[in-house]
Amino acid sequence: MSVTEHGSIENKPEPGSPLVTISEGPPKPRKSKPVPIDPGFHYHRLRKTVHVICVIIFFLLPLSNMMRIDIPRQRFYFFGYELWISEFAIIFFAMMFLMFVIAAMAMLWGRIYCGYLCPQMIFSEASIGLENWIRRTVTKRVNSGPKVQRVLSRALFYGISGLAAVVLSFVFIAYFVEPRDLLHRLLSLDIKTAGGIAGATTTLLTLVDFLFVRLRFCTTVCPYGYLQGMLTDGHTLLVHYRDGNQECIECMKCVRVCHMGIDIRNSPYQIECVGCGECIEACNVILAKLGKPGLIHYVWGETGEVLLTGDKSWYQKIGLRDAKRVVVLLVLLFYGIGLFTALSMRHAVLVQVAPVRATLYRQDANGTVYNRFHLKAANRSNKQQTVVLSIEGLPGTRFEAFENAVVVNAGQTFDSDFEISASPAAGLAAGVNHFRLTSRVGNERDAFDETFITPFKDSK
């Protein structure tokens, strides 16, 4: 021990003693480790669940005749209804209704359709995921050089993509051609008929899309992204980066998970952004480990509150934030009700009765008068139907050589002439006699006002 020139005591180790270090001043406080928090909602899991449901629906709709346009048979199947080409008005308004729904979704919820429901997005992401999975698997399991691994990965990816393109093209063409007929064409490698050529062309285009186009379609060809820009306003749902306290750690995870290759921090109005929310979850997961909330959110407009937060009413929290959106929803509601009413009022069997006036009447030697009519009954249901005719307001008349009950098979049309006869005992007035022909199919009933012509007293 020695005394320094400043009067302080200095401890020096004696020879042979172990070296002892004595710290000067108070100990520095240790930094506390950040406490992780809940990262919040998992948008990636939600999207993939929705994608799986959409793929299942895509397969089920044509194969179950829930929604399909059968071009060879000129039929349109729409959720249990079988519409004929003569009912094009209903078909047109049904297609327009679906387009209006997508447009309304863009106004209320931005690019949600692109990120969650669009087939191009779903299958493009599936193609990218498949390619990455094959590359990782081959690299892990094949102990060869990088060149061999790369060639094997590409070969496997091309083979599986080719098989997927055939399956998806088959399902797509099944929306327009009867599936069993299409399967026969596929097994016979038909490339001569219109259906076979359409299937081969669709397969080739699908394969090119899987291998090369993918999400480039969204930014170069698809018009919906540009249309969405005209439909959105200050209250539309969008993905927005908010970092007022400069807490971003520049991990770039939000950029790496974006399939569109954009940086959401630059602007919420980038045309490539499809509103998928992958960047939201990525930021939440990283900052949650540091005990901080994420900096990217779904918000109602650039200056609006975060989705499902704030003191707004329930209808404002789901997107009905102004009168314009309420009007759009009401228009869609009335449109849907009108379409449903038109479908429910539609008769399963279309019955048409018209007089044949090439000859006004004919009269036999006994004075019995005959008038000819034409019956057309189109069975637009998927089961056999019976059409029963009856005469009202014309006493003493009957169907001549014609059964008033006509059986029409599913999807078939009965087309024939028949005669109604009136004997002299019927006592009909000379000239024009008005009456009514009624048709009954199950609980459906139609009435046709017709005329029965008899000779005048002075006619020969």
Side-chain angles (χ1 to χ4, degrees):
M1 179 182 303
S2 61
V3 180
T4 64
E5 61 180 354
H6 298 288
S8 61
I9 300 175
E10 180 182 9
N11 292 323
K12 292 185 178 180
E14 297 180 358
S17 63
L19 181 64
V20 177
T21 302
I22 301 177
S23 60
E24 296 182 0
K28 296 181 179 180
R30 294 182 178 180
K31 293 183 178 180
S32 60
K33 293 183 178 180
V35 179
I37 62 174
D38 184 5
F41 192 79
H42 296 280
Y43 291 103
H44 178 78
R45 185 183 305 167
L46 172 64
R47 288 184 68 238
K48 295 310 174 184
T49 302
V50 174
H51 287 181
V52 171
I53 295 174
C54 289
V55 171
I56 294 175
I57 294 175
F58 173 73
F59 276 76
L60 288 181
L61 286 181
L63 301 181
S64 62
N65 277 349
M66 289 293 291
M67 190 171 70
R68 187 170 66 83
I69 301 175
D70 196 329
I71 294 178
R73 297 182 62 241
Q74 298 183 348
R75 300 287 190 272
F76 176 59
Y77 300 92
F78 187 74
F79 294 96
Y81 295 95
E82 182 178 342
L83 307 178
W84 289 26
I85 193 63
S86 58
E87 303 173 279
F88 180 77
I90 299 180
I91 300 174
F92 174 79
F93 284 111
M95 295 294 99
M96 291 299 295
F97 177 73
L98 297 178
M99 292 183 61
F100 289 153
V101 168
I102 296 177
M105 289 176 61
M107 180 181 295
L108 270 70
W109 304 303
R111 300 288 292 276
I112 292 300
Y113 172 80
C114 293
Y116 287 80
L117 304 174
C118 177
Q120 177 68 25
M121 175 65 67
I122 294 173
F123 293 121
S124 294
E125 288 192 4
S127 175
I128 295 172
L130 174 64
E131 184 179 18
N132 293 334
W133 178 81
I134 291 176
R135 184 186 299 113
R136 291 194 303 268
T137 303
V138 170
T139 303
K140 180 179 179 181
R141 298 183 179 274
V142 178
N143 297 322
S144 299
K147 184 176 181 180
V148 175
Q149 292 176 343
R150 184 168 57 254
V151 172
L152 181 58
S153 298
R154 299 306 294 176
L156 288 174
F157 175 63
Y158 286 170
I160 297 176
S161 297
L163 180 61
V166 172
V167 174
L168 293 177
S169 299
F170 175 86
V171 176
F172 177 76
I173 299 298
Y175 277 88
F176 308 98
V177 180
E178 204 279 325
R180 288 173 295 183
D181 179 37
L182 185 60
L183 180 62
H184 175 72
R185 296 171 188 265
L186 177 62
L187 296 178
S188 61
L189 300 179
D190 174 25
I191 54 173
K192 297 180 180 179
T193 62
I197 295 174
T201 303
T202 304
T203 301
L204 178 60
L205 293 176
T206 303
L207 183 59
V208 171
D209 188 24
F210 278 179
L211 300 182
F212 307 109
V213 180
R214 297 177 179 173
L215 298 177
R216 296 184 185 91
F217 177 90
C218 303
T219 57
T220 58
V221 179
C222 181
Y224 183 69
Y226 299 95
L227 177 64
Q228 186 261 355
M230 296 185 291
L231 295 175
T232 58
D233 56 20
H235 295 297
T236 300
L237 188 70
L238 50 84
V239 178
H240 192 206
Y241 167 75
R242 293 179 175 177
D243 188 13
N245 298 325
Q246 301 295 317
E247 294 184 346
C248 179
I249 62 175
E250 298 292 338
C251 66
M252 305 301 290
K253 184 66 178 294
C254 59
V255 179
R256 294 197 302 272
V257 300
C258 180
H259 290 299
M260 306 305 294
I262 64 173
D263 188 344
I264 192 60
R265 298 175 298 176
N266 294 333
S267 172
Y269 298 109
Q270 299 175 72
I271 192 64
E272 298 87 356
C273 179
V274 295
C276 63
E278 294 284 350
C279 57
I280 299 177
E281 180 174 346
C283 187
N284 288 343
V285 170
I286 294 298
L287 291 185
K289 297 177 182 179
L290 304 177
K292 300 178 181 180
L295 306 175
I296 309 175
H297 315 276
Y298 277 123
V299 298
W300 297 106
E302 192 171 6
T303 60
E305 73 274 11
V306 176
L307 178 66
L308 299 179
T309 62
D311 56 354
K312 302 291 184 179
S313 57
W314 67 268
Y315 56 86
Q316 290 177 315
K317 289 184 178 181
I318 64 173
L320 301 178
R321 309 181 68 80
D322 53 21
K324 178 175 68 175
R325 284 164 170 76
V326 175
V327 170
V328 169
L329 183 63
L330 291 176
V331 170
L332 280 178
L333 179 62
F334 286 121
Y335 196 143
I337 293 175
L339 181 60
F340 175 78
T341 302
L343 289 172
S344 61
M345 294 178 62
R346 170 184 174 272
H347 289 179
V349 180
L350 178 63
V351 180
Q352 296 174 321
V353 179
V356 178
R357 294 308 185 197
T359 302
L360 293 180
Y361 63 88
R362 72 179 182 90
Q363 188 175 20
D364 62 12
N366 298 324
T368 301
V369 180
Y370 303 86
N371 278 208
R372 182 175 292 273
F373 296 85
H374 181 79
L375 169 65
K376 183 177 181 179
N379 186 356
R380 303 179 296 190
S381 68
N382 55 5
K383 60 182 179 179
Q384 190 181 76
Q385 302 284 356
T386 301
V387 181
V388 180
L389 296 179
S390 59
I391 304 172
E392 296 179 359
L394 199 63
T397 59
R398 62 187 181 89
F399 294 103
E400 189 68 25
F402 174 76
E403 295 291 340
N404 68 325
V406 177
V407 178
V408 188
N409 294 324
Q412 301 297 316
T413 299
F414 178 86
D415 202 340
S416 178
D417 290 346
F418 66 93
E419 287 185 325
I420 296 178
S421 63
S423 64
L428 298 181
V432 179
N433 295 267
H434 294 275
F435 73 104
R436 175 171 291 181
L437 269 174
T438 62
S439 66
R440 181 171 52 83
V441 182
N443 295 326
E444 298 176 358
R445 185 178 182 275
D446 283 317
F448 308 91
D449 292 325
E450 304 292 347
T451 57
F452 189 89
I453 299 178
T454 58
F456 290 96
K457 297 299 182 180
D458 56 350
S459 64
K460 296 182 180 180

